[in-house]
Amino acid sequence: MPAAVPITDPGDERVADFRDLKAGDRPAGTERGTGPVIVEGVPAVQRLLASPYPVRAVVGIPGRVSALDLPPGVPAYEADKWVLSELIGFRLTRGVVASADRVPFPDVDTLLRGPDPAAPRRIAVLEGLNDHENIGSIARSAVALGIDALLLDPQCADPLYRRCVRVSMGHVLSLPMAVLGSWPGDLERLHAAGYRTVALTPADDAVDLADVDPRAHPRTAVLLGAEGPGLTPAAQQAAQVRARIPMRGGVDSLGVAAAAAVTFAQLR
């Protein structure tokens, strides 16, 4: 790997992708979801290198960049911790940060078909999740616990935002994703593709999650709603099954990221 180029000026245009990340991942006035993907930390950047997202540049403190075994042609830069902090706008405890180009999400039907015979068996469907850290946590649990793809309704936050990627430890970059253009009407596309849709809710009249046998259906899609309000009545009505996680008395619900992990493990 060629030696990283030293950077001493935070205003150097070669590292412009990383300028003032505290203010956001894209220049002011540009559309959400159009800036580069920003990835922090050696393990997450290594996952980026194995993902379909083309790397634009990498910058880090001395020693961290050389630990990445970057492929030829990737611009690599080194800066001391003070220059790096001034560049990105905060103290980067993970020591290295990379940027990558976005790759367009596939059409929903294309994602559901998958690369035969590897069509996704388990899918998580998110409605109205606007907390980046929750999406990142859900993505990390999804990869760990057998979820093959992620579908988002049109109101969900950007799953490739820096905080999502950071909280997922870069695992979101390996997760196939698509956006449902019509919500909840596009759930019919899942039903037509053979998925059983399971809406997660704490409602007393929902079935026990333990009674939803994943072996009875080769394809399952789990619907998860935003923290607080949960799934809308329209989404619950459109799903084929409403299921709840049994809990001790006095606890009405779990946070959506925790509920997702429990559900993913139960439906493996």
Side-chain angles (χ1 to χ4, degrees):
M1 176 185 127
V5 176
I7 294 289
T8 58
D9 178 9
D12 194 313
E13 285 303 310
R14 292 175 293 181
V15 289
D17 281 355
F18 310 106
R19 187 160 297 124
D20 197 15
L21 294 181
K22 189 174 182 180
D25 291 358
R26 64 187 191 277
T30 59
E31 186 179 352
R32 185 187 75 170
T34 57
V37 181
I38 301 296
V39 184
E40 303 171 44
V42 170
V45 174
Q46 288 172 330
R47 293 182 182 111
L48 168 64
L49 295 172
S51 80
Y53 298 91
V55 182
R56 292 165 57 96
V58 178
V59 63
I61 60 175
R64 290 293 175 86
V65 177
S66 60
L68 290 169
D69 192 22
L70 294 174
V74 174
Y77 307 97
E78 284 186 342
D80 69 37
K81 61 182 181 181
W82 306 113
V83 172
L84 193 57
S85 296
E86 188 174 350
L87 168 66
I88 66 177
F90 56 90
R91 180 71 181 272
L92 183 69
T93 57
R94 292 169 173 83
V96 67
V97 61
S99 63
D101 288 322
R102 291 173 180 261
V103 176
F105 291 155
D107 173 77
V108 173
D109 293 331
T110 300
L111 183 145
L112 296 180
R113 285 194 301 270
D116 289 336
R121 291 171 50 83
R122 302 283 182 264
I123 290 177
V125 184
L126 309 184
E127 180 193 39
L129 264 73
N130 55 15
D131 185 289
H132 295 101
E133 295 188 4
N134 276 336
I135 296 177
S137 293
I138 290 170
R140 185 176 183 182
S141 295
V143 173
L145 298 172
I147 297 297
D148 302 313
L150 194 66
L151 295 180
L152 304 98
D153 85 336
Q155 303 306 314
C156 279
D158 177 12
L160 296 178
Y161 187 73
R162 178 175 63 85
R163 279 188 293 165
C164 286
V165 179
R166 182 189 66 202
V167 171
S168 79
M169 291 294 292
H171 287 293
V172 70
L173 302 172
S174 67
L175 196 60
M177 293 183 283
V179 177
L180 296 160
S182 173
W183 181 261
D186 269 354
L187 289 178
E188 287 303 321
R189 299 166 75 176
L190 276 69
H191 299 153
Y195 288 88
R196 176 177 60 168
T197 50
V198 179
L200 205 63
T201 171
D204 291 336
D205 61 344
V207 302
D208 191 314
L209 180 63
D211 294 332
V212 181
D213 186 355
R215 296 168 296 181
H217 293 269
R219 295 185 174 188
T220 303
V222 179
L223 278 62
L224 298 157
E227 194 87 43
L231 288 168
T232 60
Q236 293 188 47
Q237 186 174 6
Q240 294 168 327
V241 179
R242 295 166 66 248
R244 59 179 173 80
I245 298 170
M247 303 179 200
R248 279 182 169 178
V251 180
D252 62 350
S253 64
L254 295 171
V256 64
V262 171
T263 303
F264 297 163
Q266 178 66 38
L267 295 180
R268 290 192 71 174

